[in-house]
Amino acid sequence: MLTFIGLGLFDEYDISLKGLEAVREADLVYAEFYTSCLMGTNPEKMEKLYGKKVHLLTREDVEQQPDWLEEAKDKKVAFLTGGDTMVSTTHVDLRLRAEKLGIETRLVHGASIASAVSGLTGLQNYRFGKSASIPYPYESRRGTRVISETPYDIIKQNSGLGLHTLVFLDIDKEKGYMTVNLALELLLEVERKRGEGVMDRTVAVGIARAGSEKPVVKADYAENLKGFNFGKPLHILLVPGKLHFLEAEALVKLAAGPEGIMEETE
């Protein structure tokens, strides 16, 4: 049996009782934290609560050489991830690999940032379109700095339909955790290049440390928000589409947004 367990948003206490029971019943416990990381804890704290040794896996261990899967053929193996257990395509692929090996799989879901953002901001979850991800810029073979324009295009598409966009920010082994500030700078840089008005006078919402006792939630026009200090990671960005009047009120009262957005509702 291979049990996929979502750990929730912030620390070791976010795990569900069902997930905790599954961990304690497991013969082996593995975890990966490259797709998402619980910033309020560490493996030592997790092991103290769970009563089990937690073996950390690298990206290569999960995506390229998941030899450890073989152990689930005759043992109870728990696989831990931040957030919900099946939000990442990587985890779906891993589950399919296990099924092909004849290994029974089970899911124990956890709180996900995809749903938490609605509660923190007041933006209605059924009004979200396709999500986007902003990677760090990279250098081409010719030495040119390259910024992905795909997130800009997704925001443009969603905005055209009046939909909100949830924007995931890059986590890089060398460059660290991308901030809301850098993400907005990159989007505004694409805006200056293309001039299509996607980010011009657009409201954006930044969230830091969702799931903690004191998460930071701040809304403002993108040009202003890029200078706001969100503090430590993890950060995530939202770009609202057309706002319902209740959503606009929520952004003003819950996220200290500009009162001018109250006049721009549907």
Side-chain angles (χ1 to χ4, degrees), residues 145 147 152 184-197 199-200 223 226:
R145 180 169 174 267
I147 298 175
Y152 182 93
L184 287 171
E185 287 177 11
L186 295 173
L187 287 170
L188 290 168
E189 194 168 334
V190 176
E191 179 63 65
R192 289 190 290 272
K193 173 185 175 183
R194 292 176 45 172
E196 297 175 18
M199 298 301 299
D200 185 33
E223 190 66 47
K226 71 175 185 179

Side-chain angles (χ1 to χ4, degrees), residues 236-253:
I236 195 159
L237 174 67
L238 292 84
V239 181
K242 190 67 176 177
L243 293 169
H244 183 273
F245 72 90
L246 281 177
E247 293 179 305
E249 183 179 2
L251 289 182
V252 171
K253 294 184 177 180

Side-chain angles (χ1 to χ4, degrees), residues 86-100:
M86 282 292 142
V87 168
S88 172
T89 305
T90 296
H91 304 151
V92 178
D93 178 67
L94 193 61
R95 188 184 183 196
L96 292 174
R97 291 192 191 206
E99 293 286 346
K100 288 177 182 178

Side-chain angles (χ1 to χ4, degrees), residues 61-234:
D61 292 330
V62 177
E63 296 181 0
Q64 298 174 22
Q65 296 179 318
D67 299 331
W68 55 274
L69 275 180
E70 294 286 340
E71 296 178 288
K73 287 183 175 180
D74 54 15
K75 295 179 181 178
K76 293 181 180 179
V77 176
F79 178 70
L80 314 180
T81 64
D84 184 58
T85 186
M86 282 292 142
V87 168
S88 172
T89 305
T90 296
H91 304 151
V92 178
D93 178 67
L94 193 61
R95 188 184 183 196
L96 292 174
R97 291 192 191 206
E99 293 286 346
K100 288 177 182 178
L101 291 172
I103 299 169
E104 184 180 355
T105 60
R106 173 189 173 205
L107 307 181
V108 180
H109 295 285
S112 170
I113 191 64
S115 56
V117 293
S118 293
L120 288 168
T121 63
L123 297 178
Q124 297 164 5
N125 63 354
Y126 67 89
R127 295 167 64 90
F128 278 80
K130 180 180 179 181
S131 298
S133 296
I134 298 184
Y136 278 103
Y138 66 93
E139 194 171 289
S140 70
R141 293 180 180 178
R142 297 182 178 180
T144 304
R145 180 169 174 267
V146 179
I147 298 175
S148 173
E149 299 183 15
T150 300
Y152 182 93
D153 289 326
I154 292 174
I155 294 170
K156 177 182 178 181
Q157 180 183 11
N158 286 340
S159 296
L161 298 171
L163 301 175
H164 312 320
T165 306
L166 177 61
V167 186
F168 295 97
L169 310 185
D170 202 359
I171 299 176
D172 184 88
K173 186 183 296 185
E174 297 180 357
K175 298 177 182 177
Y177 304 96
M178 182 179 289
T179 63
V180 165
N181 314 81
L182 177 57
L184 287 171
E185 287 177 11
L186 295 173
L187 287 170
L188 290 168
E189 194 168 334
V190 176
E191 179 63 65
R192 289 190 290 272
K193 173 185 175 183
R194 292 176 45 172
E196 297 175 18
V198 174
M199 298 301 299
D200 185 33
R201 289 291 293 172
T202 296
V203 173
V205 189
I207 298 173
R209 300 173 298 286
S212 68
E213 291 187 5
K214 294 183 178 181
V216 172
V217 185
K218 173 61 178 173
D220 206 338
Y221 294 105
E223 190 66 47
N224 299 332
L225 191 63
K226 71 175 185 179
F228 184 82
N229 181 12
F230 285 92
K232 296 179 180 179
L234 287 173

